[in-house]
């Protein structure tokens, strides 16, 4: 028998606010959420290491590898020596915005919300997405580069070197505090298990074409269509 697909949009319980304008901040994961690819997997594909890297990525997103930092270090080690030129090719040839991303972010801005991109991915791609979508804030990881090639490491930043699920949670709550808003006034959108820490803290958690574990916990799950389908939740 063929399994019945989930509905296009699932809503569980009562939302804290019924109008988009009553929220003040919307936070997005990047890979497979704001963009259609997992950047690290595409880098690995270009360099002939996709099977090894993608297997670790998938296990981490499903929650089978509980230590996201260690999973990322393993994947980065496999990419040691990759030229920056290859990473530029991924950005130019493979990175595509998720359908509906710009529509949703434009609507959020029009309603008075600030937009945060918080990613376990890389600023190399996140800064590009920020510019394309007019995003207000970004937190992501930075490749360590030497002589035009990846070293396999990441650059230490003021908050640490790897943005994992816990760092996503801290970033969202910290920004909400600086804005003077309650966590209930925040929307968090993601697809993988490392998005759950921030999704559990906010007023409205949204799973976008997500892993089953994430979909099960989210207040809203978008299973079909683009990100702009979130606007259908609000009258």
């Amino acid at each position: 028998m063929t399994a019945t697909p989930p509905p296009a949009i699932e809503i569980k319980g009562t939302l804290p606010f019924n109008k988009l304008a009553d929220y003040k901040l919307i936070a997005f994961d990047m890979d497979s959420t704001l963009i259609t690819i997992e950047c690290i997997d595409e880098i690995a594909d270009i360099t002939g290491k996709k099977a090894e890297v993608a297997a670790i990525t998938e296990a981490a997103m499903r929650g089978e590898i509980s230590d996201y930092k260690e999973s990322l270090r393993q994947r980065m080690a496999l990419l040691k020596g990759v030229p920056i030129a290859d990473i530029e090719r991924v950005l130019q040839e493979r990175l595509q915005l998720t359908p509906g991303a710009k529509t949703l972010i434009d609507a959020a801005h029009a309603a008075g919300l600030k937009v945060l991109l918080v990613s376990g991915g890389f600023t190399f791609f996140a800064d590009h997405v920020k510019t394309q979508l007019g995003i207000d804030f970004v937190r992501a990881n930075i490749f360590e580069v030497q002589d035009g090639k990846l070293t396999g490491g990441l650059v230490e930043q003021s908050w640490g070197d790897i943005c994992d699920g816990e760092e996503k949670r801290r970033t969202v709550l910290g920004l909400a505090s600086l804005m003077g808003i309650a966590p209930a006034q925040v929307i968090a959108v993601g697809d993988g298990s490392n998005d759950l820490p921030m999704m559990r803290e906010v007023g409205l958690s949204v799973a976008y074409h997500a892993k089953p574990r994430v979909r099960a916990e989210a207040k809203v799950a978008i299973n079909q269509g683009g990100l702009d389908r979130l606007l259908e939740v609000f009258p």
Side-chain angles (χ1 to χ4, degrees), residues 1-6:
M1 292 178 62
T2 302
T4 302

Side-chain angles (χ1 to χ4, degrees), residues 60-197:
M61 292 302 98
R62 287 197 305 262
E64 293 170 5
I65 298 176
S66 58
D67 187 342
Y68 179 83
K69 290 186 177 182
E70 181 55 31
S71 80
L72 185 56
R73 290 189 180 104
Q74 289 175 19
R75 287 174 285 170
M76 287 302 302
L78 289 168
L79 299 180
K80 182 178 179 179
V82 171
I84 285 294
D86 284 349
I87 299 171
E88 182 68 33
R89 280 180 58 204
V90 171
L91 190 152
Q92 296 297 332
E93 298 174 11
R94 303 194 180 195
L95 187 148
Q96 293 185 341
L97 298 176
T98 297
K102 182 165 175 45
T103 299
L104 176 55
I105 287 176
D106 286 350
H109 277 141
L113 285 75
K114 294 295 185 182
V115 179
L116 166 68
L117 186 166
V118 57
S119 173
F122 308 101
T123 55
F124 190 93
F125 303 102
D127 289 344
H128 175 80
V129 173
K130 176 185 179 183
T131 299
Q132 284 196 304
L133 293 175
I135 290 169
D136 301 293
F137 309 103
V138 166
R139 175 151 295 179
N141 306 311
I142 300 176
F143 294 128
E144 185 178 63
V145 179
Q146 192 170 30
D147 300 324
K149 297 179 180 180
L150 299 187
T151 67
L154 294 163
V155 175
E156 185 81 16
Q157 301 183 64
S158 60
W159 46 266
D161 65 337
I162 293 179
C163 184
D164 62 352
E166 178 57 26
E167 182 57 37
K168 288 188 178 194
R169 185 189 74 85
R170 283 195 296 265
T171 300
V172 168
L173 293 179
L175 182 54
S177 178
L178 287 172
M179 291 175 62
I181 64 174
Q185 295 171 286
V186 180
I187 302 169
V189 187
D191 73 303
S193 62
N194 66 330
D195 298 314
L196 286 172

Side-chain angles (χ1 to χ4, degrees), residues 208-224:
Y208 180 72
H209 292 221
K211 302 296 184 287
R213 179 181 173 192
V214 180
R215 194 171 70 236
E217 288 201 34
K219 288 188 177 177
V220 172
I222 300 171
N223 303 315
Q224 300 172 34

Side-chain angles (χ1 to χ4, degrees), residues 23-37:
Y23 298 90
K24 301 303 175 187
L25 173 66
I26 184 166
F28 291 94
D29 170 51
M30 180 174 70
D31 293 54
S32 299
T33 301
L34 278 179
I35 62 177
T36 61
I37 62 171

